[in-house]
Every structure is written in structure tokens, then in C-alpha cells.
Amino acid sequence: MSAKIKEKIDASIEGKLKSLYSLQLIDSKIDRLRTVRGELPLEVSDLEDTVAGLETRLTNVTEEVAELENQMNEKKQAVKDFQANIKKYEAQQSKVRNNREYDAITKEIEFQNLEIQLAEKRMKEAKIAVVLKAELLEKSRVEFEERSKDLKAKKSELEEIIAETEKDEKELVKESEVAAAGIEDRLLNAYKRIRSNTRNGLAVVAVERDACGGCYNKIPPQRQLDIRLNKKIIVCEHCGRVLVDGMLIPDAGLEDIKK
């Protein structure tokens, strides 16, 4: 291989490393903007689910109370009907012609009284259920109002943060797309894979104090020399991040990526 061709390949590797680092720098800025939002999006989502659940509960309990009250009204009317029947049968008793008819009417009166007792029992049960449902309804209503206020406050807070960072984020996303377009697919896919597997989203890091800038494990001297030569892409044997020479990166860039 001629010296000229070898020099061209080496320059190409150095260019790839610079391009990767530039992309990492932009993506790290995007990560920091999104970190400002913290857990707010998740909190808003959880509160939305909670409020929706409470709203459903309020609707269901309200319908249950209405059904119980309707049942009580029906039982009240049934008791009046049974009482009217008893009066009718009692009036008939004075006109019977034999014991058989008298006994038949007596049984009907007894049956109507049993129906009244059963209806009154059902009314009592429904009344107790209404009281319990009313307590649950009030508790749910208070909780619904409180959670709704929390949701409104969290949404407002999130909207303010998004409004403050949205413009910068959109611009950075465009920069990231432009930077990514200049990197070959194989290398870009590896970069994305490494980023997705790291807690802080760093896929490209510099060697700092003889150690990986991502996991801080020591790097052997010979490996450090290979990194400084920029002749091939080298990854940390401990964390898998792409390693670059600190001299390849401007000081401002180093400070940015550490933040």
C-alpha cells in the first residue's frame, strides 16, 4: 500500500471520528434539553390516567346510586300496592260464604304481608348501600378535584418548559439529522445502538487521565497510542463506547460533552 493511499485512509478515519463526535455533541445537547423536562411527561401521563379513572368511577357510582334510589321508589310503591291489596282482601273476608273462601283470603293477606316485609328489607339494604355509595362518591369527587388541579398545574409547567426549549430542540434535531447524514450507515447504526445502551446517552467519549471518559476504566498505554494515531475506530473494552483522542476534540467540545 502506498504512503499516499495509507495517509488518505488515516485521514478518513480521523474524519469519521470527528463526525461521530460532532453528532454526539449535538445529541448530548438535545438530551440535556429533554432532561430539563425530567419526569414531568410521565407525571402528566400518570395524572391523566388517574383523572380519567376517577371520572369513570364518579360516573359509575352516580349511576349505581340512581339505580338504588329507583329500586327504593319501586319498593315503596310495591308496599303501597300490597297494603291496598290487604285492605281489599280484608273487605272480602266479611263477605265470604264458607271457611274455605275465608282461609284462601287469609293466605292471600299473609302472602301480601310477607311481600311487604321482603320489600321493606330490600329498601333497608338499598338505603344502606346508598349511604355507602354516597360516601364513596364524595371521596372520589374530592380526589378527582385534587388530581385535576395537580394535572392542570403539571401540564402548565410542562407546556412552559416545552415552550422554552422547543425552538432550540427543533434546531438541534435538524443539526443532528444533517450530521448523521454524513456518517455511513454501519457506523451510524453502531452509534445509535451504543447510545441506546448507555444511561447518559454517550456513545463517543474522549480518553481522560488515561481512562475511558464513559466508564472511567483505565486504558492500556498501547491502546491509548492507537487512539491518538486515529488510524482505526477503537471502542472501550469495558463499556463499548467509541474512544477518541482528547486532542482531536476542541476544549469547548470536551466541556460540553461532560455536562
Side-chain angles (χ1 to χ4, degrees), residues 107-169:
K107 286 181 179 179
E108 283 295 336
I109 292 173
E110 290 175 353
F111 176 75
Q112 297 298 311
N113 278 316
L114 288 172
E115 288 289 348
I116 289 173
Q117 290 175 19
L118 182 60
E120 288 176 341
K121 181 183 178 182
R122 293 288 181 262
M123 286 169 60
K124 186 177 180 181
E125 291 171 350
K127 188 174 182 180
I128 293 172
V130 166
V131 171
L132 294 174
K133 294 289 183 184
E135 291 176 357
L136 176 60
L137 192 62
E138 181 58 26
K139 182 180 178 181
S140 298
R141 186 177 288 114
V142 170
E143 190 176 357
F144 174 77
E145 290 173 356
E146 290 176 351
R147 295 289 81 79
S148 294
K149 288 179 182 177
D150 291 342
L151 176 59
K152 185 177 180 181
K154 291 291 183 182
K155 271 189 172 180
S156 177
E157 186 180 350
L158 180 59
E159 286 168 1
E160 285 179 12
I161 292 174
I162 290 175
E164 291 172 1
T165 61
E166 189 173 28
K167 182 180 177 182
D168 291 339
E169 184 177 340

Side-chain angles (χ1 to χ4, degrees), residues 168-196:
D168 291 339
E169 184 177 340
K170 284 182 178 179
E171 290 176 354
L172 286 169
V173 168
K174 286 181 181 178
E175 288 182 29
S176 177
E177 290 172 351
V178 171
I183 300 172
E184 61 184 84
D185 291 344
R186 181 182 59 81
L187 202 54
L188 182 61
N189 290 333
Y191 166 82
K192 290 179 179 179
R193 185 180 67 254
I194 297 169
R195 254 177 69 79
S196 67

Side-chain angles (χ1 to χ4, degrees), residues 4 16 21 24 31 38 68 76-77 90 96 120 128 137 153 168 174 200 207 217 220 227 235 247:
K4 185 175 287 187
K16 288 178 180 180
Y21 176 73
Q24 176 67 79
D31 291 342
L68 287 167
K76 283 180 183 178
Q77 183 57 50
E90 287 176 341
V96 295
E120 288 176 341
I128 293 172
L137 192 62
D168 291 339
K174 286 181 181 178
N200 55 12
V207 176
N217 279 292
I227 293 168
V235 298
M247 298 298 292

